[in-house]
């Protein structure tokens, strides 16, 4: 796998474990967490996560086969490694974009859905196929699906383990953009450019508002919105954005 800062001001993480169809490893977990920390420390505007011809097949079943011999607390500890990554992604101060070619399955789908935006190549498949291996979802997948799609759709994916096309996910609003095969990363970079031109403080606050909305009741969410709006109104980005709107010109936000 590789990770690098690109010229347009975002961090790119490439999980290119092609011989295992992008099966997950602890090293990849570390890479994502390090990229998020680095992006925040260097005030980059987003993190793009992508893979090889098949984005990610989820857990390595050859490795999972050995887990049954471990005590249950050790099995739980290994699952928590994935869950720590999901928490880091949700708590990120910068947006995350998944650029998906080929398809994604299992815990790879959990990671994709933990991103804020998903770009997928036409014909890519999405599967929560745990049930076919006698397993149950992890990585926050049930929460992500239950809050993003109708209950029956989530049940179809998890109970039957069927693959869903990128186009069907796009119709439900889960996939942000469909592109031609081989163009997912290019399109994700274009979105990253759009984010880089926007107000970073407002973007970070918006991520927090949306991520907490499903956990808060209305009163708590209204309080959080009031706090975020009051802070935003006093920011340099708001001063520039409002001035640009009134002067009928494009805003030029700082980093």
């Amino acid at each position: 796998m590789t990770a690098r800062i690109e010229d347009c001001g975002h961090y790119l993480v490439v999980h290119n474990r092609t011989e295992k169809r992008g099966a997950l490893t602890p090293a990849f977990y570390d890479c994502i967490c390090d990229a998020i920390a680095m992006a925040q420390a260097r005030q980059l505007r987003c993190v793009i996560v992508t893979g090889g011809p098949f984005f990610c097949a989820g857990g390595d079943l050859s490795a999972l086969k050995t887990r049954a011999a471990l005590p249950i607390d050790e099995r739980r500890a290994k699952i928590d490694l994935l869950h720590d990554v999901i928490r880091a992604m949700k708590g990120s101060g910068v947006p995350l974009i998944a650029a998906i070619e080929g398809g994604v399955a299992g815990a790879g789908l959990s990671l994709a859905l933990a991103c804020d935006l998903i770009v997928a190549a036409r014909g890519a498949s999405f599967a929560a196929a745990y049930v076919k291996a006698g397993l149950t979802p992890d990585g926050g997948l049930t929460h992500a699906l239950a809050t993003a799609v109708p209950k029956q759709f989530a049940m179809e994916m998890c109970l039957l383990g069927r693959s869903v096309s990128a186009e069907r996910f796009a119709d439900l609003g889960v996939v942000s953009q469909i592109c031609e095969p081989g163009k997912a990363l290019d399109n994700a970079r274009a979105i990253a450019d759009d984010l880089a031109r926007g107000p970073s403080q407002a973007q970070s606050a918006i991520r927090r508002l949306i991520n907490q909305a499903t956990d808060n009741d209305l009163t708590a969410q209204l309080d959080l919105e009031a706090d975020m709006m009051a802070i935003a109104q006093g920011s340099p980005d708001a001063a520039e954005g409002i001035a640009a709107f009134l002067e009928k010109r494009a805003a030029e936000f700082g980093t």
Side-chain angles (χ1 to χ4, degrees), residues 144-212:
L145 287 174
T147 55
V149 301
K151 173 185 172 182
Q152 288 75 14
F153 186 90
M155 290 292 187
E156 174 188 342
M157 289 197 73
C158 294
L159 286 176
L160 301 177
R162 291 175 179 167
S163 293
V164 174
S165 68
E167 290 82 357
R168 190 175 179 194
F169 251 0
D171 288 342
L172 289 167
V174 180
V175 167
S176 314
Q177 190 176 112
I178 295 287
C179 62
E180 293 305 311
K183 297 295 183 181
L185 182 54
D186 289 342
N187 285 36
R189 286 179 173 132
I191 293 174
D193 289 342
D194 286 344
L195 289 170
R197 289 190 287 269
S200 59
Q201 184 175 336
Q203 289 169 350
S204 180
I206 288 167
R207 288 190 75 258
R208 181 180 172 191
L209 285 166
I210 293 175
N211 282 328
Q212 291 190 215

Side-chain angles (χ1 to χ4, degrees), residues 35-55:
I36 292 170
M38 186 72 72
Q40 293 174 166
R42 299 195 180 188
Q43 297 185 315
L44 303 180
R45 302 305 300 276
C46 75
V47 173
I48 298 174
V49 183
T50 192
F54 192 90
F55 179 84

